[in-house]
Amino acid sequence: ADQFDVDPPPGYAEAHCGAGEGRVVLYAGSFFDNEGVPTLLRAAKQVLAAAPDTRFVIVGGHPAEAARALAGLAGELGIAASVIFTGVLPSLEMPFLFRCADILTAPKADNILNRAGVPTKLVEYLASGRPVVVSAVGDIPSIVEDGVEAVLVPPDDARALAAAIMDLLADPARRERIAAAGRNKVRLRHDVGAA
């Protein structure tokens, strides 16, 4: 867990996350259908209507045709100016990226690929000490307690995802509580160094 508890080097947040321009909601991963990134972009439109200073940082680039489609969707939704597509970045930079964010999100779709198991990304997100909004699919609800260690939302529900993000953006104390509880869960249950 300690590798995710690091501060970004000077200038990193500004270069990659649009820091200084508002709060940051970050997604990192692939762009396959099961990841639910279109749902995140639709939720972003709702969030930005209420909190226009928010920036959505989308890290990844595979598959390339999906990346192009997502950029196109952001344009169609009228939110391209508030969505930063970083492209693929080295995995060693993920801890820095996560720490740049106010909220991390994993909007998993209701897809057969997601109906069992827990994504490694969720554990890494939690280890970073940032609040996480994640879809309640597969084994995820058995790993984190909703509203305590993460915020769970129904899959494929842009309205619920937007509401969860907006609630957290409006409540810094709650963000801190959830982030600390999520990080503690990882340290207790998923950190090989703690054994």
Side-chain angles (χ1 to χ4, degrees):
D2 286 343
Q3 70 178 332
F4 290 92
D5 187 17
V6 293
D7 290 323
Y12 188 91
E14 291 80 0
H16 294 291
C17 299
E21 300 176 18
R23 293 161 297 181
V24 172
V25 178
L26 185 141
Y27 165 85
S30 71
F31 296 155
F32 291 107
D33 290 344
N34 65 300
E35 297 294 346
V37 183
T39 299
L40 175 59
L41 292 178
R42 291 184 180 95
K45 180 177 178 68
Q46 298 173 47
V47 172
L48 289 163
D53 65 331
T54 307
R55 295 294 174 266
F56 285 80
V57 176
I58 312 294
V59 182
H62 180 73
E65 58 273 17
R68 289 190 293 272
L70 290 170
L73 178 58
E76 290 169 22
L77 293 169
I79 60 172
S82 299
V83 179
I84 300 167
F85 288 94
T86 68
V88 177
L89 294 174
S91 59
L92 290 175
E93 292 190 27
M94 291 304 113
F96 298 145
L97 284 162
F98 296 169
R99 298 284 287 182
C100 290
D102 296 282
I103 297 171
L104 300 171
T105 183
K108 296 283 188 178
D110 183 12
N111 180 291
I112 193 168
L113 296 173
N114 296 334
R115 290 182 188 156
V118 174
T120 301
K121 171 172 42 190
L122 173 59
V123 177
E124 293 176 345
Y125 275 3
L126 294 168
S128 74
R130 292 292 183 261
V132 178
V133 179
V134 60
S135 296
V137 294
D139 296 325
I140 290 171
S142 69
I143 297 299
V144 289
E145 184 178 349
D146 181 28
V148 177
E149 297 149 343
V151 177
L152 301 181
V153 295
D156 309 309
D157 189 334
R159 185 174 303 224
L161 180 57
I165 291 170
M166 286 189 286
D167 286 349
L168 284 175
L169 288 176
D171 192 342
R174 183 169 179 245
R175 289 202 308 269
E176 288 184 19
R177 285 194 306 272
I178 289 174
R183 189 166 184 276
N184 188 54
K185 170 63 80 69
V186 169
R187 286 189 167 278
L188 291 175
R189 299 282 180 89
H190 302 285
D191 189 349
V192 292

